[in-house]
Amino acid sequence: MSTAKQISKQRYRLIGWLFYGGIGGIAFGGIHLWSFYTLGDRIAFYDAMFNILLGVSYFASFRLVEKGKFLAVQVCAVSLVAALLYGWIMGRGFNVIMLVIGGVLLWQVIQLWRRGELA
């Protein structure tokens, strides 16, 4: 098991961002789920399930980066593509904010892999 002393500063920071992204995704999923139950909006249910799954994928990425696994690159990339496609499929267009934030997170994970911190 790796400790904070064995993890680079960039990797440690990325672990935090992924962890908080997971919490945010699940929290937004809960808000959408509440909207579904109070308003009966079917789209809110879809948004809730997607946000919860996205939050879980961020938690998975957080654990993979923490353990130094290369699979984190693929999980981050699939999460980013899924978020972009979901917005497009739902008729909202591409989410530029998700593109920027997801792109930065993916870039950070790729940088860790290039430096040999993910194997």
Side-chain angles (χ1 to χ4, degrees), residues 59-72:
F59 276 126
S61 297
F62 139 70
R63 292 295 295 163
L64 290 168
V65 169
E66 185 180 48
K67 292 181 179 185
K69 302 291 183 184
F70 175 72
L71 186 60

Side-chain angles (χ1 to χ4, degrees), residues 27-117:
F28 282 120
I31 291 169
H32 285 294
L33 202 56
W34 179 257
S35 296
F36 169 70
Y37 284 125
T38 57
L39 303 175
D41 185 14
R42 187 175 49 131
I43 301 299
F45 178 74
Y46 298 141
D47 289 342
M49 292 302 108
F50 180 76
N51 282 328
I52 290 170
L53 288 174
L54 193 63
V56 168
S57 76
Y58 280 142
F59 276 126
S61 297
F62 139 70
R63 292 295 295 163
L64 290 168
V65 169
E66 185 180 48
K67 292 181 179 185
K69 302 291 183 184
F70 175 72
L71 186 60
V73 176
Q74 288 91 354
V75 172
C76 283
V78 168
S79 298
L80 175 60
V81 170
L84 294 175
L85 285 176
Y86 179 76
W88 182 70
I89 289 169
M90 296 302 284
R92 299 177 187 144
F94 287 112
N95 187 342
V96 176
I97 294 171
M98 189 62 191
L99 179 63
V100 171
I101 292 172
V104 168
L105 289 174
L106 181 59
W107 177 73
Q108 291 289 318
V109 172
I110 291 171
Q111 292 298 318
L112 290 175
W113 171 63
R114 286 184 177 168
R115 287 198 325 229
E117 293 189 45

